Amino acid sequence: MMKVEIREARAADAERVIEYTKTIGGETDNLTFGASGFPITVEQEADYLESVYSADKSVHLLAVIDGEIVGDGSLSGLPRRMSHRADLGITVRKSYWNKGIGSMLMQKLIEYAKDHGIEIINLEVRSDNAGAIHLYQKYGFQKIGTSPAYFKIDNSYHDFDIMYVDLR
Ligand SMILES: CC(C)(COP(=O)(O)OP(=O)(O)OC[C@H]1O[C@@H](n2cnc3c(N)ncnc32)[C@H](O)[C@@H]1OP(=O)(O)O)[C@@H](O)C(=O)NCCC(=O)NCCS
């Protein structure tokens, strides 16, 4: 049985988070980025991770097995009149899909939301991403609309489902 640790990302994880992001970007067309990840330096990533760590209503969780990042999940809190809401993102390395790691991350993210006064979580997911939609529905998310042609990849357009969960 694999031992999965779920913990908050810190500055010291910056380099590995950048590498992880490039890896998963190359494994799926469901994300906003591809194999090149984000144009960000290790220092910028470290600053970003610390700013999330110290924020009231944002969190970046890592799923780690034997020191290797195999998944991540985040809640990004919104400002002012939207401060009761957060956007959710989640990824797992392809070789670890369907082993319950996404569910572990979702559980922790929802726990975090409840503990930190986040009342509504929003997300967008490719309409043909049946596995992710199944996972979100399992945690109470419902579809509230479709955003047409949300992605354009090599001249083909992909719709996204807009989903939310109300934790009030
Ligand atoms: C979506 C993702 C995070 C799920 O992570 P995971 O670790 O595989 O999730 P889990 O193993 O906890 O759960 C997957 C569930 O989906 C189900 N599932 C998998 N493929 C499915 C499919 N094609 N149709 C319906 N259900 C499916 C599994 O049976 C499992 O269901 P269960 O929990 O009821 O047994 C992972 O697949 C991933 O990173 N995908 C690429 C990035 C991505 O799409 N992120 C979401 C962007 S919005």
Side-chain angles (χ1 to χ4, degrees), residues 30 90-92 97-100 102-103 124 129-131 134 136 138:
N30 291 328
I90 188 165
T91 68
V92 172
W97 286 0
N98 296 315
K99 296 180 192 297
S103 299
E124 292 91 41
N129 190 352
H134 172 89
Y136 300 143
K138 196 168 99 175

Side-chain angles (χ1 to χ4, degrees), residues 1 43 45 70 86 88 103 118 163:
M1 185 68 187
E43 291 72 28
E45 181 72 35
V70 298
L88 181 145
S103 299
I118 296 169
M163 300 184 84

